[in-house]
Amino acid sequence: MSNGKLHTLIALLTLAPSAGAQWLNYPSPATPRGKDGKPNLSAPAPRLHGKPDLGGIWEAESTPRAVLATLFPPGVGLLPGGVNGLGEDDPQKYFLNLLADFKPGEEPLLPAAGARLGQILKNPAKPITLCRPAGGPVNELIPAPYKIVQMQGLVMELYETDSVFRQIFTDGRKQPVDPQPAWMGYSVGRWEGDTLIVDVRGFNDLSALDAMGHFHSDQLHVTQRFRRKDFGHMEIEMTLEDPKVFTRPVTVKSNQILIPDTEVMESFCGESEHDLEHMRNIKN
């Protein structure tokens, strides 16, 4: 993969302010603190209506740079101040490559899907001028904050990237029978003990699964398991099934870190976007 290809794909999915650009230093009275006044991220998870309260502002935990370096082709690497040099946090490995746990050549891709991916990687893409939302399950992997708001019968996710949202209905409703294909799909959830299990279907086939360019079809089915371990740490296990792309289900476990005493802000990549054309790290 060329420098331009990888950096362009990453840039298109990370056009969002970093955590450092948030509404800083607004201490929440609900945040447990140590004697020094700092947030205690190891405190017990809060509860709501008898279940763990997933609420808060979260971001995918960064993968160590030494590990990330193994995912880049020779000559390509992380720039100072984030992937693009824009100040965002270092990404999680699954954001770069959802199939990072598989050895090269052993990815569970159907032959036609593998051939299509090869063509994507061989043909460097110039920056697009019409921004599309990230969509799909990549939103919890992007190195940018998102906010969870939990209430009776509903869990809301508000993503800073693209200022999009997702509704997870926990009121007992079923999946729609013939849904209009959607960027975020349709999410219904249920609790098993302290784990929220979310069934997501009804995607369109327009979004990427990661920065490398792995794609999905409109038959993608995602099962997510949200487990809040304590106040500041959450695990999201995702199982992806797509009979048009994968030979078998693919499961990844993504650690999420709470960002206390801050807030998400709106962030849009509008039509006729031209900034990408002038970013110093994009080369074709």
Side-chain angles (χ1 to χ4, degrees), residues 99 108-110 209 215 240-248 250:
L99 305 181
L109 296 172
L110 292 170
L209 293 174
F215 54 87
L240 290 76
E241 301 172 84
D242 192 329
K244 294 183 178 181
V245 176
F246 300 125
T247 59
R248 61 180 177 84
V250 173

Side-chain angles (χ1 to χ4, degrees), residues 135-139 166 179-187 199-207 209 216-224 240-242:
V138 75
N139 281 282
R166 176 166 73 129
Q180 173 72 24
W183 289 95
M184 305 299 295
Y186 299 80
S187 301
D199 179 82
V200 197
R201 304 171 187 260
F203 293 101
N204 62 34
D205 61 356
L206 301 177
S207 63
L209 293 174
H216 63 85
S217 76
D218 58 2
Q219 297 300 303
L220 176 65
H221 172 213
V222 180
T223 302
Q224 296 175 302
L240 290 76
E241 301 172 84
D242 192 329

